[in-house]
Amino acid sequence: MATFVLIHGGGGTAWQWHLLDAELRERGHDVVAVDLPTEDPDAGLGDYAGSVVQAIGERAGLVVVAHSWGGFVGPLVCDRVKADLLVLLAGMVPVHGEPPANWWENTGFGMKDIDDAVDLFMHDVPPGLAAEASRRGRTHAEKALAEPWPLERWPDVPTRFLLCRDDRWFPADFMRAMARERLGVEADEIDGSHSVMLSRPRELADRLESYL
């Protein structure tokens, strides 16, 4: 059985994984999910990765799953621990020296107005669950957004890229192209919104298990 290390995205929390956590534990796996120190003005990218590494402890058989902005953190974790697999779930793929704040322009994505966060990120999540996720949202301090991404090369770990076909934030065509250009891989695909861990936890668990 595996240990799934679940890394949330910008403004997120470990809570967003709770349905997937339950699915994976029912199947006999271990799960590690922590709140990244996004609200700490003194925390940099290394601190984010350190919080995950500390939570992992002595566990082995690691599958690191990094969602969205967590794509900046997942590879840093894999550079510090022995992981069997890294999965970027609708993940932002960084390159050496790139501050996260510059990713949007560098990839040609630009920025969108977030007039309705539920419609953009959670349109297929049950309304009560989407409301709770919105209530739990957190701010993101500047330091980790402005720091250059430190790794000179991608960590030596097998990597899968899993996009969400119905994602209104990161459209599928954009993500397919980014996976090819920045990782040199063809993206895998799953139905669902950007918050697929809340809308389709069983299907996501099935897909993650299929990677083992």
Side-chain angles (χ1 to χ4, degrees):
M1 293 300 165
T3 296
F4 286 90
V5 181
L6 308 178
I7 302 173
H8 66 75
T13 67
W15 173 88
Q16 73 187 45
W17 299 109
H18 72 282
L19 298 178
L20 179 64
D21 183 314
E23 283 285 343
L24 293 171
R25 290 185 187 277
E26 277 188 13
R27 303 171 192 214
H29 303 293
D30 193 8
V31 177
V32 174
V34 300
D35 288 332
L36 299 177
T38 57
E39 295 175 303
D40 183 350
D42 297 320
L45 291 168
D47 299 305
Y48 286 31
S51 69
V52 179
V53 171
Q54 183 177 12
I56 292 170
E58 299 301 317
R59 293 176 175 87
L62 306 178
V63 177
V64 177
V65 182
H67 178 241
S68 195
W69 195 93
F72 283 93
V73 181
L76 301 182
V77 172
C78 292
D79 192 53
R80 299 190 188 187
V81 300
K82 179 175 172 51
D84 294 334
L85 180 67
L86 170 61
V87 180
L88 296 176
L89 174 61
M92 297 165 72
V93 181
V95 295
H96 174 62
E98 178 178 67
N102 291 6
W103 180 92
W104 312 95
E105 182 178 355
N106 291 349
T107 59
F109 181 80
M111 284 296 290
K112 299 177 181 178
D113 292 329
I114 304 177
D115 296 325
D116 186 340
V118 171
D119 185 64
L120 268 180
F121 298 105
M122 298 180 282
H123 63 88
D124 60 349
V125 175
L129 199 59
E132 179 66 11
S134 297
R135 186 186 69 79
R136 291 174 177 266
R138 298 186 298 153
T139 58
H140 207 143
E142 180 67 22
K143 183 175 180 179
L145 301 177
E147 280 188 349
W149 196 68
L151 296 187
E152 294 186 3
R153 60 181 180 85
W154 201 256
D156 186 18
V157 58
T159 302
R160 305 293 290 258
F161 189 95
L162 180 59
L163 65 80
C164 304
R165 292 192 190 97
D166 307 308
D167 195 334
R168 295 177 180 175
W169 176 246
F170 286 148
D173 285 346
F174 170 80
M175 296 301 261
R176 291 184 192 107
M178 186 188 61
R180 293 187 194 107
E181 292 167 7
R182 291 202 162 199
L183 282 178
V185 303
E186 291 297 320
D188 299 323
E189 304 188 14
I190 188 171
D191 290 335
S193 68
H194 194 68
S195 300
V196 67
M197 72 290 292
L198 292 174
S199 64
R200 299 171 184 264
R202 182 172 299 173
E203 292 92 330
L204 181 54
D206 289 343
R207 181 60 62 90
L208 293 176
E209 273 202 319
S210 77
Y211 290 154
L212 299 181

